[in-house]
Amino acid sequence: MAEEGADDSADETGVPEIVEDRSGATPVRPAMAIGLVLVLVLALLCAALGFRAFQAHRDQQLRAQLVAAARQEAVNLTTISYEHPEVDVKRILDAATGEFHDDFKNRSGPLIDVVKKVQSASAGTVTEAGLESIDGGQGQVLVAVTVKSSNAGNADPVPRFWRMRLTVTRQDSDAKVSKVEFVA
Protein backbone atom coordinates (compact mmCIF):
# COMPACT_ATOMS: atom_id res chain seq x y z
CA MET A 1 0.00 0.00 0.00
CA ALA A 2 1.29 3.45 -0.89
CA GLU A 3 1.69 6.05 1.72
CA GLU A 4 -0.06 9.32 1.41
CA GLY A 5 2.03 12.06 -0.25
CA ALA A 6 4.45 9.53 -1.70
CA ASP A 7 5.81 10.12 -5.15
CA ASP A 8 3.93 8.18 -7.77
CA SER A 9 7.03 7.91 -9.92
CA ALA A 10 8.88 5.69 -7.46
CA ASP A 11 9.53 2.14 -8.49
CA GLU A 12 9.07 -0.85 -6.25
CA THR A 13 12.28 -0.13 -4.35
CA GLY A 14 11.03 3.28 -3.31
CA VAL A 15 13.67 5.20 -5.29
CA PRO A 16 12.14 7.96 -7.41
CA GLU A 17 12.45 7.47 -11.11
CA ILE A 18 14.42 10.12 -13.07
CA VAL A 19 12.40 11.51 -15.89
CA GLU A 20 14.40 13.09 -18.78
CA ASP A 21 13.08 16.00 -20.78
CA ARG A 22 13.92 14.96 -24.33
CA SER A 23 12.37 17.93 -26.07
CA GLY A 24 15.89 19.47 -26.71
CA ALA A 25 14.81 22.92 -25.58
CA THR A 26 17.29 23.76 -22.85
CA PRO A 27 18.05 27.38 -21.98
CA VAL A 28 21.77 26.81 -22.78
CA ARG A 29 21.40 26.43 -26.56
CA PRO A 30 19.65 29.76 -27.28
CA ALA A 31 22.16 31.54 -25.04
CA MET A 32 25.05 29.92 -26.94
CA ALA A 33 23.52 30.91 -30.28
CA ILE A 34 23.06 34.52 -29.13
CA GLY A 35 26.63 34.58 -27.78
CA LEU A 36 28.01 33.21 -31.04
CA VAL A 37 26.12 35.83 -33.06
CA LEU A 38 27.44 38.59 -30.77
CA VAL A 39 31.00 37.32 -31.12
CA LEU A 40 30.68 37.25 -34.93
CA VAL A 41 29.21 40.76 -35.02
CA LEU A 42 32.03 42.06 -32.79
CA ALA A 43 34.64 40.29 -34.92
CA LEU A 44 33.22 41.88 -38.10
CA LEU A 45 33.12 45.28 -36.44
CA CYS A 46 36.72 44.95 -35.29
CA ALA A 47 37.81 43.84 -38.76
CA ALA A 48 36.05 46.80 -40.39
CA LEU A 49 37.55 49.28 -37.92
CA GLY A 50 40.98 47.71 -38.32
CA PHE A 51 40.77 47.95 -42.11
CA ARG A 52 39.74 51.62 -41.91
CA ALA A 53 42.63 52.34 -39.56
CA PHE A 54 45.01 50.57 -41.94
CA GLN A 55 43.70 52.63 -44.89
CA ALA A 56 44.01 55.88 -42.94
CA HIS A 57 47.58 55.02 -41.93
CA ARG A 58 48.50 54.10 -45.52
CA ASP A 59 46.96 57.34 -46.85
CA GLN A 60 48.82 59.38 -44.24
CA GLN A 61 52.10 57.71 -45.19
CA LEU A 62 51.49 58.50 -48.88
CA ARG A 63 50.75 62.15 -48.09
CA ALA A 64 53.89 62.41 -45.96
CA GLN A 65 55.97 60.72 -48.67
CA LEU A 66 54.71 63.10 -51.37
CA VAL A 67 55.37 66.20 -49.25
CA ALA A 68 58.84 64.95 -48.23
CA ALA A 69 59.78 64.29 -51.86
CA ALA A 70 58.59 67.77 -52.89
CA ARG A 71 60.48 69.42 -50.04
CA GLN A 72 63.69 67.61 -50.95
CA GLU A 73 63.42 68.38 -54.66
CA ALA A 74 62.73 72.05 -53.91
CA VAL A 75 65.99 72.14 -51.94
CA ASN A 76 67.76 70.27 -54.74
CA LEU A 77 66.50 72.74 -57.35
CA THR A 78 67.58 75.77 -55.37
CA THR A 79 70.93 74.50 -54.09
CA ILE A 80 73.54 74.55 -56.84
CA SER A 81 77.19 75.48 -56.49
CA TYR A 82 79.79 76.29 -59.14
CA GLU A 83 82.18 74.02 -57.22
CA HIS A 84 80.22 70.83 -58.09
CA PRO A 85 77.32 71.63 -60.43
CA GLU A 86 77.37 68.19 -62.09
CA VAL A 87 76.72 66.53 -58.71
CA ASP A 88 73.93 69.03 -57.97
CA VAL A 89 72.29 68.43 -61.37
CA LYS A 90 72.55 64.65 -60.92
CA ARG A 91 70.83 64.96 -57.53
CA ILE A 92 67.99 66.90 -59.18
CA LEU A 93 67.64 64.34 -61.98
CA ASP A 94 67.70 61.41 -59.54
CA ALA A 95 64.57 62.78 -57.84
CA ALA A 96 62.81 63.66 -61.12
CA THR A 97 60.71 61.67 -63.57
CA GLY A 98 58.76 62.02 -66.78
CA GLU A 99 58.68 65.24 -68.79
CA PHE A 100 60.33 67.28 -66.04
CA HIS A 101 63.27 64.86 -65.93
CA ASP A 102 63.72 64.93 -69.69
CA ASP A 103 63.37 68.72 -69.96
CA PHE A 104 65.78 69.39 -67.08
CA LYS A 105 68.29 66.90 -68.47
CA ASN A 106 68.22 68.66 -71.85
CA ARG A 107 68.79 72.07 -70.20
CA SER A 108 71.36 70.95 -67.64
CA GLY A 109 74.42 71.43 -69.88
CA PRO A 110 73.92 75.18 -70.40
CA LEU A 111 72.94 75.55 -66.72
CA ILE A 112 76.21 73.96 -65.59
CA ASP A 113 78.17 76.23 -67.94
CA VAL A 114 76.50 79.42 -66.65
CA VAL A 115 76.89 78.40 -63.00
CA LYS A 116 80.62 77.78 -63.52
CA LYS A 117 81.15 80.93 -65.57
CA VAL A 118 79.59 83.36 -63.05
CA GLN A 119 80.77 81.28 -60.07
CA SER A 120 77.22 81.10 -58.72
CA ALA A 121 76.27 79.43 -55.49
CA SER A 122 72.74 79.19 -54.17
CA ALA A 123 71.32 77.48 -51.13
CA GLY A 124 67.63 76.86 -50.68
CA THR A 125 65.76 76.29 -47.44
CA VAL A 126 62.16 75.14 -47.34
CA THR A 127 60.17 77.40 -45.05
CA GLU A 128 56.80 75.71 -45.53
CA ALA A 129 55.26 72.88 -47.55
CA GLY A 130 51.79 71.46 -47.81
CA LEU A 131 49.83 69.01 -49.87
CA GLU A 132 47.45 70.89 -52.16
CA SER A 133 45.71 67.92 -53.76
CA ILE A 134 46.08 64.20 -54.25
CA ASP A 135 44.76 61.83 -56.88
CA GLY A 136 45.73 58.20 -56.55
CA GLY A 137 49.51 58.02 -56.27
CA GLN A 138 50.10 61.58 -57.47
CA GLY A 139 49.92 64.83 -55.52
CA GLN A 140 50.48 68.52 -55.93
CA VAL A 141 52.54 70.11 -53.21
CA LEU A 142 53.02 73.83 -52.60
CA VAL A 143 56.47 74.67 -51.28
CA ALA A 144 57.80 78.01 -50.03
CA VAL A 145 61.56 78.32 -50.32
CA THR A 146 64.07 80.92 -49.19
CA VAL A 147 67.02 81.01 -51.58
CA LYS A 148 70.30 82.74 -50.82
CA SER A 149 72.38 83.29 -53.95
CA SER A 150 75.81 84.71 -54.54
CA ASN A 151 78.24 84.91 -57.44
CA ALA A 152 81.80 86.11 -58.09
CA GLY A 153 80.68 89.75 -58.39
CA ASN A 154 78.40 89.66 -55.33
CA ALA A 155 79.71 87.72 -52.35
CA ASP A 156 76.84 88.78 -50.06
CA PRO A 157 73.99 86.26 -50.42
CA VAL A 158 70.70 88.00 -51.09
CA PRO A 159 67.64 86.07 -49.86
CA ARG A 160 64.81 85.54 -52.33
CA PHE A 161 61.48 83.97 -51.56
CA TRP A 162 60.01 81.53 -54.06
CA ARG A 163 56.87 79.46 -54.12
CA MET A 164 56.67 76.33 -56.19
CA ARG A 165 53.97 73.84 -57.05
CA LEU A 166 55.55 70.45 -57.52
CA THR A 167 53.69 67.49 -58.92
CA VAL A 168 54.98 64.38 -57.20
CA THR A 169 54.30 60.92 -58.61
CA ARG A 170 54.68 57.73 -56.65
CA GLN A 171 56.57 55.05 -58.56
CA ASP A 172 56.74 51.69 -56.81
CA SER A 173 58.06 52.67 -53.38
CA ASP A 174 59.66 55.96 -54.49
CA ALA A 175 58.12 59.37 -55.04
CA LYS A 176 59.58 61.57 -57.77
CA VAL A 177 58.83 65.03 -59.06
CA SER A 178 57.22 65.05 -62.51
CA LYS A 179 56.43 68.77 -62.85
CA VAL A 180 57.58 72.07 -61.34
CA GLU A 181 55.78 75.40 -61.59
CA PHE A 182 56.77 78.66 -59.98
CA VAL A 183 53.75 80.47 -58.52
CA ALA A 184 53.25 84.06 -57.44
Side-chain angles (χ1 to χ4, degrees):
M1 196 186 257
E3 295 179 14
E4 265 185 62
D7 189 0
D8 293 340
S9 62
D11 64 5
E12 296 173 356
T13 61
V15 178
E17 197 175 304
I18 298 176
V19 179
E20 291 184 33
D21 182 9
R22 298 183 188 232
S23 65
T26 64
V28 173
R29 287 189 184 179
M32 284 180 56
I34 290 171
L36 182 60
V37 168
L38 286 175
V39 167
L40 288 174
V41 167
L42 287 174
L44 289 174
L45 181 63
C46 287
L49 291 174
F51 183 69
R52 285 186 59 157
F54 168 76
Q55 283 181 318
H57 179 70
R58 185 190 63 207
D59 292 347
Q60 178 60 31
Q61 282 184 321
L62 174 62
R63 288 189 294 272
Q65 182 183 28
L66 296 177
V67 171
R71 289 176 70 97
Q72 184 59 53
E73 189 67 342
V75 169
N76 293 346
L77 285 166
T78 57
T79 304
I80 299 176
S81 173
Y82 70 93
E83 295 173 338
H84 44 73
E86 296 86 1
V87 173
D88 296 334
V89 166
K90 182 181 181 327
R91 188 177 57 245
I92 293 167
L93 291 172
D94 287 346
T97 189
E99 189 177 322
F100 173 66
H101 177 276
D102 298 341
D103 186 46
F104 194 86
K105 185 175 182 178
N106 292 335
R107 297 173 189 239
S108 64
L111 173 67
I112 291 170
D113 294 341
V114 168
V115 167
K116 285 181 176 180
K117 183 178 180 181
V118 298
Q119 293 185 342
S120 171
S122 64
T125 305
V126 172
T127 54
E128 196 65 48
L131 187 64
E132 182 179 34
S133 65
I134 191 166
D135 184 19
Q138 185 175 47
Q140 294 209 348
V141 182
L142 289 175
V143 182
V145 184
T146 301
V147 182
K148 292 184 180 180
S149 299
S150 64
N151 58 38
N154 179 14
D156 249 354
V158 177
R160 298 181 198 267
F161 306 99
W162 295 354
R163 291 189 329 170
M164 297 183 243
R165 176 177 289 119
L166 291 93
T167 302
V168 183
T169 305
R170 186 168 186 181
Q171 297 178 332
D172 299 322
S173 62
D174 290 335
K176 295 190 175 196
V177 174
S178 58
K179 186 176 181 182
V180 176
E181 301 171 73
F182 289 90
V183 295

